[in-house]
Amino acid sequence: MAEDDPVPVTGAVREKLVARKQDWAREGRLLTGAPDAAHAVRLPPGQTEVKHWPVLDLGVQPDVAKEKFRLRMEGLVEQRIALDWDQFLALEQVDLVTDIHCVTQWSLYDARFQGVPARTLLAMARPLPTARFISFTSYDGYTTNVPLEAFDDTDVLLAHSWNGAPLTREHGGPVRVVLPKLYFWKSPKWVTRIELLAEDRPGFWEVRGYHNNGDPWLEERYG
Ligand SMILES: Nc1nc2c(c(=O)[nH]1)N[C@H]1C(S)=C(S)[C@@H](COP(=O)(O)O)O[C@H]1N2
Ligand SMILES: [Mo]
């Protein structure tokens, strides 16, 4: 949790769900061993298409008031950023239509997100040459990590809208990351802090048996 930005949360961490997903990682559940097939198919190995977007989180959904919202980029950067809601919305906005893939096996096609490109924030903060990894922190205390190259991509967004409407609280509003090339646990909801690091820092699921990289096409579920 970002101690300096407390927001009210409702619910309690669903310990049973966390324990079950940790067991899946230990048992290697859902692994199919299917080959990549060079993306000839749209569905990554072991996935099933869903028509309705499921909600998946730890069971704690923070209520982030717009006045309280801050989006920070810090760590190994030339210029730290701390944007409030209006400053965030004043940045260049883009639309992105993409497929998303959750490690619990569902894939949703053609999700339309609107938000600020990751590259816009990186251009403002200017990562130092020593920055190689990203650690995200969310208002529910969730963390996850990706290599800087994975975040520094044209299809990565700080999204605030989905299908033309504000992102609902359950899907991570006011702002979530959308990083479609990796399993969706690498796309933090209710994000507030983006830290640039020299050393990798595994996040919530990464320390509970989930893969550090998480490429759905390579079926990097557990590791
Ligand atoms: N802050 C936060 N972000 C999170 C999670 C979470 O528990 N907390 N769960 C992750 C997981 S496991 C998935 S599959 C997606 C689910 O996003 P959705 O609920 O919008 O489908 O959010 C990811 N981002
Ligand atoms: Mo997930």
Side-chain angles (χ1 to χ4, degrees):
M1 183 74 72
E3 290 84 5
D4 46 341
D5 302 323
V7 299
V9 300
T10 54
V13 172
R14 295 159 67 199
E15 303 291 353
K16 277 191 190 154
L17 173 138
V18 171
R20 191 171 69 241
K21 285 183 74 178
Q22 212 167 344
D23 286 344
W24 289 11
R26 198 161 45 235
E27 294 159 12
R29 230 190 91 143
L30 308 182
L31 292 180
T32 66
D36 176 8
H39 299 213
V41 289
R42 186 167 182 181
L43 202 59
Q47 296 293 112
T48 305
E49 192 200 347
V50 292
K51 291 295 182 192
H52 297 284
W53 188 9
V55 172
L56 260 106
D57 52 52
L58 305 178
V60 174
Q61 299 190 335
D63 186 5
V64 186
K66 298 277 159 57
E67 313 81 62
K68 273 242 163 183
F69 171 80
R70 291 292 182 283
L71 182 63
R72 302 173 192 279
M73 183 172 272
E74 52 197 34
L76 298 174
V77 293
E78 279 180 40
Q79 179 63 58
R80 293 168 63 124
I81 304 176
L83 300 171
D84 66 21
W85 181 247
D86 291 337
Q87 291 168 324
F88 174 73
L89 282 191
L91 298 176
E92 174 209 3
Q93 307 289 321
V94 301
D95 277 304
L96 170 75
V97 178
T98 188
D99 298 351
I100 55 183
H101 310 290
C102 171
V103 72
T104 60
Q105 237 177 347
W106 56 263
S107 292
L108 180 72
Y109 291 165
D110 294 325
R112 176 184 295 276
F113 293 99
Q114 190 186 28
V116 174
R119 284 189 167 170
T120 301
L121 297 179
L122 288 170
M124 293 167 70
R126 301 190 302 280
L128 297 172
T130 46
R132 292 182 51 222
F133 300 96
I134 300 259
S135 169
F136 300 107
T137 304
S138 297
Y139 281 107
D140 61 341
Y142 185 82
T143 56
T144 188
N145 58 304
V146 295
L148 175 54
E149 313 91 77
F151 184 68
D152 185 3
D153 204 340
T154 50
D155 60 356
V156 180
L157 280 196
L158 282 297
H160 56 73
S161 292
W162 176 69
N163 283 355
L167 205 54
T168 58
R169 176 176 168 190
E170 58 179 5
H171 283 301
V175 176
R176 76 172 299 155
V177 175
V178 174
L179 199 157
K181 287 197 179 81
L182 299 179
Y183 281 124
F184 215 37
W185 90 79
K186 296 283 193 182
S187 291
K189 309 202 271 191
W190 314 293
V191 70
T192 182
R193 187 181 305 272
I194 304 167
E195 259 181 282
L196 284 90
L197 304 170
E199 305 290 335
D200 203 4
R201 183 194 292 161
F204 185 89
W205 288 117
E206 291 82 5
V207 302
R208 286 172 173 78
Y210 284 78
H211 202 283
N212 198 53
N213 192 48
D215 182 340
W217 295 99
L218 303 177
E219 212 172 0
E220 292 174 335
R221 297 181 192 275
Y222 316 118

